[in-house]
Amino acid sequence: MPNTIASLSIKPLHPHIGALVNGVDLTQQLSEVVFAQIRAAFNQFSVLVFRNQAINDEQQVGFSRRFNALEEVSFSIAAQNPYVYHLSNVDDRGHLLGPNEKKRVFLKVNSRWHTDSSFKPIPAMASILSGRKIPSHEPANTEFASMRVGYASLPPERRKMLRGLVAIHHYGYSLGLFGDGGVPLAEIDSLPPSQHPLLRVHPETGETSLFVSGHIESIVGMPVKEGRELVNELIAWCTRQEYVYSHSWEQDDLVMWDNRCTLHRAAVIPEREIRRVHRTTVMGEGSIEEPSSETTL
């Protein structure tokens, strides 16, 4: 029987990030003891993969709320439920998007390395993505990299240089790199820039990590070009090939990741086959805590 401690197994998928969770059925209520083990694994591995989870939106919302309250969907172009992004490469009639359609431009923002909702005053804790319709032939991998590992592998003098730096995250900036994506201006304006430190402490593990994202527009106190070059350098450092877990989607996969310490991107947006995934976003716990002056870097 699934959903017992005896049935639960957690196996690493990659040396640096990600684990496969077996022996649970997320369409059913999890006991407190099983959920506690899943949450502990989430904090340890940052990315969890659950196979064969044929859940609906209501069940996905219920599981997601076990972690914390949920963010409401920010963009009407992807919303049919206030808490569930319906992300797909089809139009309102169910037809594949053409290469120049605005919604495909909106999806392209996800092809850059980023962390979800970093542009909000309280960034997201977790994203939970359910594979409702997965292409059978065309790849649609999602890639993940650990900002904890990225930070830990930096030379000590580099870590010291980053102390106290603050980044400005702005969704309007990252979307604008591709176009307006069909997002109404009022919705973009409702998300003004937010400032967060480049280093942060994970609120549950106490570990320090980088906090970089493709949504960063600039670094406070630095020339814009120099700040963006620093961000790109740090993202490239975290996402070296040997540090990236590339998830090959199967039908009814459910994947969740920790936005507090994980970068991700959609490696491919399928052009010939339908891909439909539904995402819930778990709210963060509050403003970001940066390492104290006493913290050893």
Side-chain angles (χ1 to χ4, degrees), residues 64-293:
S64 304
R65 279 183 170 148
R66 295 289 293 273
F67 292 89
N68 201 10
L70 302 186
E71 289 187 3
E72 292 195 19
V73 173
S74 300
F75 308 113
S76 56
I77 195 172
Q80 295 179 16
N81 178 308
Y83 299 108
V84 184
Y85 273 96
H86 286 195
L87 297 170
S88 68
N89 58 352
V90 298
D91 60 23
D92 293 339
R93 298 169 295 167
H95 299 153
L96 277 168
L97 295 171
N100 298 316
E101 292 190 53
K102 285 191 172 184
K103 187 177 178 182
R104 188 172 283 277
V105 172
F106 172 73
L107 295 173
K108 283 183 179 179
V109 179
N110 293 321
S111 68
R112 302 180 75 230
W113 286 106
H114 66 286
T115 179
D116 291 332
S117 296
S118 70
F119 47 82
K120 295 185 177 181
I122 299 178
M125 170 195 187
S127 294
I128 301 176
L129 196 63
S130 169
R132 306 297 177 86
K133 175 67 175 176
I134 301 301
S136 55
H137 299 98
E138 196 171 2
N141 288 18
T142 303
E143 296 180 334
F144 300 93
S146 171
M147 290 189 282
R148 287 192 290 202
V149 173
Y151 171 79
S153 60
L154 282 171
E157 64 274 12
R158 193 62 164 160
R159 299 186 211 170
K160 185 176 180 179
M161 184 275 287
L162 297 174
R163 182 191 288 276
L165 292 182
V166 175
I168 299 174
H169 299 244
H170 186 200
Y171 186 79
Y173 160 72
S174 51
L175 178 64
L177 295 173
F178 298 94
D180 64 24
V183 179
L185 182 60
E187 294 181 6
I188 297 175
D189 290 344
S190 72
L191 295 166
S194 293
Q195 297 187 11
H196 304 297
L198 272 184
L199 302 181
R200 69 174 296 176
V201 174
H202 195 286
E204 297 189 61
T205 69
E207 295 179 88
T208 299
S209 80
L210 293 166
F211 190 63
V212 290
S213 175
H215 297 308
I216 293 178
E217 183 175 33
S218 60
I219 304 293
V220 175
M222 294 179 66
V224 171
K225 182 175 183 293
E226 182 180 337
R228 291 178 183 174
E229 288 174 349
L230 173 60
V231 171
N232 290 336
E233 175 191 328
L234 293 173
I235 290 176
W237 179 263
C238 291
T239 59
R240 289 166 287 171
Q241 184 176 1
E242 64 270 28
Y243 291 102
V244 171
Y245 166 62
S246 183
H247 180 69
S248 180
W249 283 87
E250 297 179 8
Q251 183 65 37
D252 295 328
D253 277 358
L254 184 137
V255 181
M256 65 179 297
W257 60 90
D258 192 336
N259 286 300
R260 300 167 295 188
C261 58
T262 303
L263 286 163
H264 70 281
R265 69 175 179 179
V268 178
I269 300 172
E271 296 183 358
R272 300 179 300 278
E273 293 182 88
I274 291 174
R275 181 180 190 260
R276 183 179 292 113
V277 291
H278 291 191
R279 194 190 85 194
T280 43
T281 308
V282 182
M283 290 181 63
E285 302 86 342
S287 57
I288 291 178
E289 178 186 353
E290 56 187 316
S292 67
S293 58

